[in-house]
Amino acid sequence: MPGPLLLFAFAALVTGIVVGVRMSRLWLALTVAGTTAGFGAALMVLLGAADWEWRSGFSLGDELVHLRLDGVSALFLALLCVVGGAGAVYAREYWPEKHYPASAPRGRVWWSALVLSMGLVLTVSNGLHFLIVWELFAICAFFLITLDRQRREVRAAGWLYLAASHAGTMALFAFFSLLAARTGSWDLPGPMRERADLSSLFWLVLAGFGVKAGVFPLHIWLPSAHANAPSHVSAIMSGVAIKMGIYGIVRFSGWLPVPAAAGWVVIGLGATSALLGIAFAFAQNDFKRLLAYCSVENIGIILVGLGAALLALTHGDAVWGRLALAGALLHVWSHGAFKALLFFGAGSVLHATGTREMSRLGGLWRTMPWTAGLFALGSLAVSGLPPLNGFVSEWLVYLGLFDAVTSKGPSAWAALPAAIMLAMAGAMAMASFAKASAMIFLGAPRTQAAAHAHECGMGMRAPMLMLAGVCVGIGLAPILFWPAIRRAAGSWCPGWGAEETPAPLVALGSVHVALAVLILAAAAWLWRKAHTNGLRRGMTWDCGYATPYARMQYVSASFAGIVSGWFRWILQPERKIRRPRGHFPEEALRLERVPETVLERIIGPVSAAIMRVSTTVRQLQHGRLQFYILYVVAGLIALGVLVLLGGAP
Amino acid sequence: MNLILAVILRLAVWLLLAPLLPGIINKVKAWVAGRRGPPVLQLYYDLAKLWRKGVVLSTLASPGFIAGPAVAWVALLGAAMLMPLGPGGTALSFRGDVLLLIYLLALARFCTAWAAMETGSAFEGMGAAREVSYAVLAEAAIVTAVLSLSVQTGSVSLVTMLSPSAGAGAVLLAAGLFTVLLAENCRVPFDDPNTHLELTMIHEVMVLDHSGPPLAAILHGASVKLLLFAVLLIQAVLPLGALSAPAAAGALVAGVLAVTVGVGLVESWLARLAFRRVPLLLTTAFLLCLFALLVAWKGGAK
């Protein structure tokens, strides 16, 4: 039954690509219909028992087309369809024809192409075809990121993304070719865990997909691409596209045997990504960059869960591994929902004020109450606070880690530091989003642009409300989502899809419902009480200062000052200070900026050195024939000497 | 029916007894300084008065300014309801409830920081920044303490974690948790609730602009949090599960009183630390909990 739905989704998206340039309404209808159909197919697989598989007679590149939708891919497909549909609705108002006559039609076409190619990445079951659709996906994303390509920094971000993406694809080329060479076929038949000789290929998987996922030292492309892309593109990039990297790691760690060290490395990478990602996020002044770095953190949380599951697999105790894997898989959905919501909120702010600098905003709740409320909800969810979805998935990961520690096996030495690092990352996520929402929405407007903002329309609000509903839904009724997670876990490792819930999700859900009701009741009660007692408006007290003004407020860098001091060794902030001088100082200045440390301090210098060496070597190639003949003769003599010295083979 | 009665009874204990603790601390401080000090029930009088008063709202504040304290109060009470009370057990217990408790405290912190930022005052921004930053280290210390209890008892739910003693590492754990208690409740040497210089405050500066019923909710929530940490500390350290019910109840009450008096004595004898030293002290608390964890690990392996 998923077959016809998928065929319909495919047809709708292809038609969307064709008609997208001219007919925006038809395009929207087709995209929404296609994603809904895809979502239906994913749900059928997740809630049913059987996988969907289709081996066709068509061949592409001498390989027969083989499609498959199992628990793992259906989980990611469901997320793709939700965000893909919501983003299409959002884009209509956010990136309209009126303001962007050239790029809006282009954006529609590439959007459909991106959703389609990601859907194909999730369904193709042939190594060669996987590489083709993977490349297609990378290119669609590139054109969407550079939609506003008149701006220089957008083009730079796009090229950086494309270069990083291809570096990853190179590892994937190596991986799929080696896999095909060792198994004798490009076809991916499914689990091959008994082939122990394939286990070393996992490192290529981790490197290749790790770049796309944005794991910490490989995340260099992510902040600038997410920040400079139009916000609906940032939402799908951050909510879904980087999850394709996670999908690859989950997929092939489930199908292929993994080396014994895999669990240790994945959990270590995850914990590092979580802690350093959020440290960078907290130090940002640009709210879209902050959200981008926060994605690095959340990818870290997912990898910690996956790493724990791999450890459990190699050590033979499956029970806590199941919890951690369930947490990781649920976090894929959770993060997809709240991060898309936050990027939509960020887009709404950007749309209204035209700036991404938090220190130029403030007080927007007055003009943008809907955006402020929804952004606050997303902030609570991303900080992992109860009673929302972020807490549920992080709680499952924590439970897995705690059980690993109490089992006192060798894995405990990985789980223990990971749990403590996750706790610190959680506290810093809370701090980052307290900062972001406060700087953008609270206090007094810091500039004219912020003072004259306007609320977004229904076309942008509706997708945000839908995603907020997902966040609240997973938070209040996690048990409803359990069957899907169980199904995916069962596809990852047969035997892990057991019927019973290993964690008291019902108890947690009911506590969350009680908490939500009490929170609303208490807020309403206190609000009423304050009004019946008499409510008077007055100036902020500010310790008796009589004429406070907007620039006296705490700004983003000062809010993050303490923590970015602790992480100075990696953040390497650039400071510009002009101290006040004399008895009547006229000016003073303090600017602080956190650079892209990994890119500017490590990758940049290394690439520059490679370029210098290459330029020097290039002087050998000057086009003078006689010298080329000299090279050949010299080469022959050298070979001859080598043969003479080494003897005949 | 019994369950509802138990919940109401438990709620009454937390709601009614919590404001006693700040009163006792102030009495101890006054006694050490040779003053008579305010009555032990002063906070009750203050709360009653604030509850009847009107509210002055900053012109910049949104409805979140009043919702924030309400949510924080509910979160703190929710955390308190998860905490077992010695022989009384708990109203609700499930695997992993301890993590919910930690994150409810974080929810309360988020809401307090949110409400502080509403006013656009630089002082309140300063307080909020300090609060959320020091929480990073405090949270690491709490999670480590919880991990050590889990290793000790092999469990992840509060009732079973807290009934035996913390074993050989109890002293280390007690020292670590007491330091966290001082930091989380903004007591000396981390913060001085009585200072009059806004530049040096953390928690008090965040609530500068609150008045009337919201301020009452904040003050009451703060006292619940103090009681929560005292109860946690005593149950983590003393083997209440091994005692008979009356003896355990007596030990719990005596222990909480001892912790409260201890806070009062620390406040009388120590001065507030310079801010740059606060992270050092919190790191020490984290290390104490970490050593307790290692001791629990070695102890349990026998």
Side-chain angles (χ1 to χ4, degrees), chain A residues 356-649:
Chain A
R356 302 198 309 246
E357 278 295 314
M358 282 186 271
S359 307
R360 297 177 166 276
L361 297 168
L364 289 184
W365 72 268
R366 202 175 286 277
T367 42
M368 311 180 73
W370 283 93
T371 310
L374 289 165
F375 196 92
L377 186 95
S379 299
L380 286 172
V382 72
S383 312
L385 297 176
L388 295 170
N389 59 348
F391 178 68
V392 178
S393 41
E394 282 187 37
W395 179 74
L396 283 169
V397 174
Y398 270 122
L399 269 187
L401 293 177
F402 268 66
D403 285 356
V405 172
T406 50
S407 72
K408 290 194 179 182
S411 335
W413 293 110
L416 194 65
I420 296 172
M421 281 161 91
L422 270 196
M424 292 177 80
M428 268 153 64
M430 196 278 275
S432 308
F433 282 89
K435 169 178 118 165
S437 40
M439 292 304 149
I440 301 174
F441 295 107
L442 303 182
R446 293 182 178 82
T447 52
Q448 282 300 312
H452 298 117
H454 55 86
E455 180 61 288
C456 58
M458 208 52 214
M460 281 158 74
R461 221 180 292 158
M464 287 201 265
L465 283 169
M466 196 269 282
L467 290 168
V470 175
C471 292
V472 174
I474 299 182
L476 297 188
I479 193 70
L480 294 183
F481 296 82
W482 180 253
I485 300 301
R486 199 193 63 203
R487 177 84 169 80
S491 294
W492 189 74
C493 175
W496 281 26
E499 198 60 45
E500 88 283 8
T501 19
L505 281 173
V506 180
L508 185 71
S510 39
V511 170
H512 276 179
V513 172
L515 207 59
V517 171
L518 286 174
I519 281 173
L520 293 178
W525 185 37
L526 202 57
W527 181 251
R528 258 185 67 96
K529 181 69 189 162
H531 277 262
T532 45
N533 281 12
L535 196 131
R536 200 154 53 81
R537 288 274 179 181
M539 208 166 64
T540 295
W541 185 60
D542 241 353
C543 305
Y545 192 70
T547 50
Y549 64 106
R551 283 196 53 200
M552 285 168 63
Q553 295 175 97
Y554 239 43
V555 290
S556 140
S558 36
F559 196 89
I562 299 173
V563 173
S564 50
W566 299 343
F567 286 92
R568 204 180 300 135
W569 55 276
I570 178 111
L571 296 177
Q572 310 259 333
E574 289 162 3
R575 290 206 172 113
K576 201 168 145 193
I577 301 179
R578 220 176 303 141
R579 294 184 186 285
R581 286 175 198 284
H583 295 291
F584 300 99
E586 289 191 338
E587 61 159 13
L589 175 89
R590 185 191 166 105
L591 286 177
E592 190 164 320
R593 188 186 85 94
V594 172
E596 297 292 320
T597 314
V598 180
L599 183 66
E600 294 176 19
R601 303 279 155 87
I602 300 169
I603 311 256
V606 170
S607 333
I610 293 176
M611 283 306 279
R612 261 200 307 280
V613 172
S614 314
T615 326
T616 322
V617 172
R618 214 180 142 206
Q619 287 171 1
L620 293 176
Q621 186 197 20
H622 34 58
R624 274 176 238 138
L625 192 59
Q626 56 271 47
F627 277 95
Y628 287 4
I629 295 170
L630 183 67
Y631 295 163
V632 173
V633 172
L636 281 174
I637 292 174
L639 272 176
V641 169
L642 216 64
V643 170
L644 275 181
L645 288 183

Side-chain angles (χ1 to χ4, degrees), chain B residues 34-57:
Chain B
R35 293 182 284 119
R36 269 190 33 223
V40 174
L41 299 181
Q42 186 61 46
L43 185 54
Y44 293 90
Y45 305 143
D46 289 351
L47 290 176
K49 194 162 123 198
L50 284 172
W51 190 248
R52 290 193 306 271
K53 281 200 158 198
V55 176
V56 183
L57 215 56

